[in-house]
Amino acid sequence: MAAAAAGGGGSGADGDGDGGSSGEEDAGSLAGESRYLAACRACGVTPASGLLRRTPGPALSLRHRGLGPRGAKALALSLMVDTSVLTLDLSDNWLLGEGAAAIAEMLKENCYISAVDLSDNKLGVEGAKAFSAMLLENTTIVSLQLSGNEFDDHAAKYLADAITANSKVEILDLSYNMFGDKAGEVLGTAIAENIGLKELKISWNHFHSQGAAALAKGLGANIFLKVLDVSFNGFGNSGAAALGEALKANNVLEELNVSNNRISVEGALHVAAGLKENKTLKRLNMTRNPMQSKGCCGVVKALQANSGTGLEILDLPDIPVNKELTELCDAVKILFPNLLLRHGENTKLQTKSPWKIELRTQPKVVGNSQNAVA
């Protein structure tokens, strides 16, 4: 389509430009609209009103429009030769595998769109297969969001092929899917071989001991990934042990979210062993794990023993704080005055987005915060 930010999306940034630029945008918009209407007629679908009312701009957002597979096909046909849309958001449109295939074929031809969001579209195995094939050819997309698409272990095989071969995608979101341990094995191998990803979100899946360990092993071998979110899985102690080993070997990762992963004292101590040697991790979220005070103390002691730690933010579970933990935190505060360490039973966290923590009541904080405890 011509430059587009659909009804609910962003607005055109160049609306106040000179007359020539505005005229070119208007002409491009009309041409894109004409292509879209023709495609809708060919596919026998009603045009999306939000798209027809859009303001010229590089972002096309058609969230929650109920496009369906045929609507996706019509849109894909109109975008095939478009040169102005740079970001495409089609989340929650019930595209299914058929719609995903149409969008994927378009993205093989379109070399301008760099960010795509197809979250919550029930793409399934067929969609995973189509997007994997597309990513083997596309060299433009750098951000791809595929959360909530019912991808299972079978779908993971196709996605793993794409992760292994594609070096252009930097941000990938595969959260809220149905990956199990077999998926963890193939995705872990792919992560180890990938040379492009910088941020991977794979939270809210079904990775347990074996699959979790495979993912962690892949992390240990990866030398590009900076942000990893594996929250709301079932890593347990064996997965935590593998993460601990990965933290010893990895010297690139900066942010790690392992909240809600059934990590107990034993697992926490394994992670602590990795922290004791790691120099690059800046943020670690371990909230909502049954680590108890002993596990929390182990993690803090690891920092105390690592003078070269790069950690800036550490979020520990919401537990009653005992004297030992309080004294350890005070000692760490002296060693690392810039470290923000959050813990204690007064810390209230959002349940929907564990990576973005919202402190709703005054927490027990040690370090550089307005609420820091002296």
Side-chain angles (χ1 to χ4, degrees):
M1 293 304 300
S11 59
D14 300 322
D16 296 327
D18 61 74
S21 176
S22 177
E24 290 175 1
E25 284 189 349
D26 290 343
S29 180
L30 289 173
E33 183 176 311
S34 177
R35 287 197 303 271
Y36 177 60
L37 291 173
C40 286
R41 287 193 294 270
C43 296
V45 296
T46 302
S49 58
L51 190 147
L52 297 177
R53 294 195 304 264
R54 74 192 184 282
T55 303
L60 174 55
S61 178
L62 291 174
R63 300 165 62 91
H64 321 302
R65 298 284 178 171
L67 294 179
R70 289 196 301 164
K73 184 176 181 180
L75 180 62
L77 289 173
S78 66
L79 285 172
M80 197 78 72
V81 295
D82 187 89
T83 61
S84 56
V85 173
L86 305 181
T87 64
L88 178 63
D89 185 352
L90 299 179
S91 56
D92 188 24
N93 271 288
W94 210 273
L95 300 187
L96 306 179
E98 182 183 349
I103 298 298
E105 286 302 311
M106 177 272 293
L107 290 171
K108 289 180 181 180
E109 302 296 328
N110 185 301
C111 59
Y112 293 89
I113 296 174
S114 60
V116 177
D117 187 346
L118 288 188
S119 302
D120 303 312
N121 273 296
K122 297 183 178 293
L123 303 187
V125 174
E126 184 182 350
K129 185 176 182 180
F131 262 71
S132 177
M134 178 274 293
L135 289 171
L136 297 179
E137 299 183 27
N138 184 286
T139 59
T140 309
I141 295 175
V142 296
S143 176
L144 181 58
Q145 298 185 54
L146 295 173
S147 66
N149 274 302
E150 301 181 357
F151 293 149
D152 57 12
D153 289 356
H154 188 191
K157 296 178 181 179
Y158 295 109
L159 295 170
D161 289 341
I163 292 172
T164 301
N166 183 291
S167 62
K168 300 299 181 181
V169 174
E170 297 180 359
I171 300 173
L172 178 61
D173 187 350
L174 293 173
S175 57
Y176 291 92
N177 278 297
M178 301 163 60
F179 296 131
D181 285 342
K182 290 184 178 179
E185 294 176 15
V186 295
L187 291 174
T189 300
I191 291 170
E193 298 180 13
N194 178 271
I195 58 172
L197 278 177
K198 294 181 179 179
E199 179 176 338
L200 175 62
K201 295 180 180 180
I202 200 161
S203 59
W204 289 93
N205 277 283
H206 307 291
F207 300 118
H208 295 98
S209 55
Q210 186 176 352
L215 277 177
K217 185 177 180 180
L219 169 65
N222 185 284
I223 57 173
F224 293 90
L225 199 63
K226 293 183 178 296
V227 179
L228 177 63
D229 184 352
V230 293
S231 60
F232 287 89
N233 279 289
F235 270 48
N237 293 332
S238 57
L243 278 175
E245 292 302 313
L247 288 175
K248 293 178 183 179
N250 185 288
N251 59 0
V252 179
L253 192 70
E254 296 180 356
E255 298 184 18
L256 175 62
N257 187 349
V258 293
S259 61
N260 288 269
N261 263 291
R262 304 176 188 173
I263 298 173
S264 68
V265 173
E266 178 188 344
L269 295 179
H270 283 300
V271 174
L275 285 177
K276 192 174 182 180
E277 298 184 24
N278 186 279
K279 308 295 184 183
T280 58
L281 194 67
K282 294 181 179 180
R283 178 172 181 176
L284 175 61
N285 185 343
M286 299 187 72
T287 56
R288 301 190 177 190
N289 282 299
M291 294 163 44
Q292 304 177 28
S293 291
K294 184 177 180 181
C296 292
C297 287
V299 171
V300 178
K301 286 179 181 178
L303 295 183
Q304 195 176 30
N306 184 358
S307 60
T309 182
L311 208 62
E312 298 173 357
I313 301 176
L314 173 61
D315 288 297
L316 293 174
D318 176 8
I319 60 170
V321 179
N322 63 17
K323 181 180 179 181
E324 181 184 9
L325 182 56
T326 299
E327 291 176 349
L328 277 171
C329 289
D330 289 340
V332 166
K333 173 187 172 181
I334 296 173
L335 284 176
F336 308 109
N338 293 322
L339 172 66
L340 177 59
L341 195 161
R342 296 182 284 212
H343 65 84
E345 56 190 334
N346 292 324
T347 301
K348 303 301 180 184
L349 307 176
Q350 279 185 310
T351 58
K352 180 62 177 176
S353 182
W355 189 238
K356 297 180 180 178
I357 296 178
E358 180 182 334
L359 302 175
R360 296 186 174 177
T361 60
Q362 184 171 339
K364 169 76 173 179
V365 179
V366 178
N368 59 345
S369 170
Q370 293 179 350
N371 296 324
V373 176

